[in-house]
Amino acid sequence: MTEAYIYDAVRTPRGKGRKNGSLHEVTSLRLSSQVLNQLKHRNNLDGHAVEDVIWGNVTQVMEQGGCIARSAVLASELDESIPGLSINRFCASGMEAVNLAANQVKGGAGDAYIAGGVEMMSRVPMSSDGAAICVDPSLAMEVYFVPQGVSADIIATRNGFSRDDADSLAVESQRRAKEAWDDGRFSKSVFTVKDQNGISILDHDEYMRPGTDMQALGALSPSFKQMGETMPGFDAVALLKYPDMERIDHIHHAGNSSGIVDGAAGILIGNREFGKKRDLKPRAKITQTAKIGSDPTIMLTGPLPATQKALSDSGMEIGDIDLFEVNEAFASVVLLFQKTFQVDPGKINVNGGSIAMGHPLGATGAIIIGTLLDEMERADKETGLATLCVASGMGAATIIERV
């Protein structure tokens, strides 16, 4: 089978997902087209240079509806002969776009693809598209649906993770993110976003709170306690599913959960011949991809079976992986990954994660693959694994190996 290589990876800075965020004035279309233009100019992508643009996006309504992928191609400087495909696997949408593109290349369906995603959470609010699993009682009751924050608290309760455990991880995420930015570790991939007049409006991840400490986090109230405990609340629903639990300890809050932000990212993937034709050097190859369904109530455990599947399918073991990116949707997700695989915390999210820098839903999967590759090169490591939990009970993973 043909190998699929990563030739380039770029992303925008992440802007606060509010009306006063620096990227709020930029549409999903324009942010996506800026990513595509960066890849075009950095890699001389003239004419029908790639087979397709596959773009992840979670809330596909309003400006993010109507196949934002194709619209972004037309709004960019890419050739109009390049089509576009929008996909939604919730938080793993950006990763699934990359994985789908890689597997298309491996299968011989084209020499190259651009894959990534976008989410403008300040402009298109999360959940504004509706979801059957939330609003249709015939499904919600059958699967014992609870919101993700309650699911994160269930994971913490069942595994004995304390509020201090979660807050400590959050403080460390902030510290690592600041150190990474101060050290210029994102400079290879992050570009400055400009407005329609060509004026620079954001060149850094603005959600970060580098001064965060345990005392500051300790003052925050649990975000999901009220929705869980107000009768009839979601805790009662979850306890029907898990009768072995006496109660749910609500430990998650805004400071140890992922931030709501705007952002976009793109990755150029192709076979060896694609690179030779354009005198491009591959940076890594995508050796394995995986996706899997998991318990829809606890919902956020998907990184475990997805990682196990990716390792098994590639004939690898957890010890064969040098670095990990585990999306910090909630602190308990990362704590569970560490506990299950007994991975050194110093190998996971080395440069901080979504707790510190934010989680632009449709883009995050592509962002963490790019971040993983940059760090592998900086630290001279050979193999890396990126994984995310996914709403409704799914998981996705990608293994990459430096060339």
Side-chain angles (χ1 to χ4, degrees), residues 362-376:
T364 302
I367 289 175
I368 65 173
I369 291 173
T371 298
L372 179 62
L373 176 55
D374 284 347
E375 180 60 22
M376 287 166 60

Side-chain angles (χ1 to χ4, degrees), residues 144 146 150 154 233-243 245 248 297:
Y144 298 91
V146 300
V150 175
I154 294 172
F234 287 107
D235 284 9
V237 175
L239 294 175
L240 288 173
K241 178 76 173 284
Y242 312 113
M245 297 177 61
I248 296 171
T297 305

Side-chain angles (χ1 to χ4, degrees), residues 62-82:
M62 297 183 284
E63 68 182 55
Q64 293 183 167
C67 191
I68 187 68
R70 175 57 176 167
S71 296
V73 170
L74 295 175
S76 75
E77 297 171 27
L78 290 176
D79 194 279
E80 68 177 16
S81 65
I82 298 171

Side-chain angles (χ1 to χ4, degrees), residues 9-237:
V10 300
R11 73 168 177 93
T12 70
R14 285 168 273 198
K16 294 177 182 178
R18 302 195 298 263
K19 290 185 178 180
N20 64 350
S22 295
L23 296 182
H24 176 67
E25 67 181 82
V26 186
T27 66
S28 308
L29 176 66
R30 295 302 169 188
L31 201 67
S32 297
S33 66
Q34 287 196 38
V35 173
L36 298 181
N37 287 342
Q38 286 286 322
L39 290 171
K40 171 185 168 61
H41 294 300
R42 285 165 56 129
N43 300 281
N44 301 313
L45 302 181
D46 296 324
H48 191 83
V50 297
E51 189 74 15
D52 204 354
V53 170
I54 306 178
W55 220 233
N57 177 241
V58 175
T59 311
Q60 297 189 11
V61 295
M62 297 183 284
E63 68 182 55
Q64 293 183 167
C67 191
I68 187 68
R70 175 57 176 167
S71 296
V73 170
L74 295 175
S76 75
E77 297 171 27
L78 290 176
D79 194 279
E80 68 177 16
S81 65
I82 298 171
L85 170 66
S86 294
I87 64 170
N88 180 5
R89 198 186 291 281
F90 296 123
C91 297
S93 297
M95 176 174 285
E96 186 60 30
V98 172
N99 291 352
L100 178 57
N103 290 326
Q104 291 281 83
V105 170
K106 289 182 178 183
D111 290 337
Y113 287 74
I114 291 175
V118 66
E119 206 76 37
M120 294 300 294
M121 301 181 76
S122 71
R123 299 177 60 87
V124 185
M126 181 169 53
S127 302
S128 57
D129 55 340
I133 196 168
C134 304
V135 301
D136 188 333
S138 67
L139 177 60
M141 294 175 66
E142 181 179 338
V143 300
Y144 298 91
F145 169 80
V146 300
Q148 285 191 23
V150 175
S151 298
D153 289 334
I154 294 172
I155 290 174
T157 304
R158 293 179 71 85
N159 288 277
F161 302 142
S162 69
R163 168 76 177 255
D164 280 353
D165 292 334
D167 286 356
S168 293
L169 188 145
V171 169
E172 181 64 7
S173 180
Q174 295 282 358
R175 186 195 70 78
R176 293 182 181 187
K178 181 181 186 303
E179 183 178 272
W181 269 104
D182 289 348
D183 197 36
R185 298 180 194 175
F186 300 124
S187 60
K188 183 184 294 186
S189 301
V190 177
F191 66 91
T192 300
V193 175
K194 299 181 179 181
D195 67 11
Q196 60 186 0
N197 298 313
I199 299 172
S200 299
I201 57 176
L202 189 63
D203 62 0
H204 64 282
D205 292 323
E206 69 173 345
Y207 181 81
M208 294 165 51
R209 296 177 176 86
T212 299
D213 57 23
M214 293 293 287
Q215 184 176 3
L217 295 184
L220 299 177
S221 299
S223 296
F224 311 103
K225 183 179 177 68
Q226 184 173 1
M227 69 171 63
E229 294 182 353
T230 301
M231 296 302 292
F234 287 107
D235 284 9
V237 175

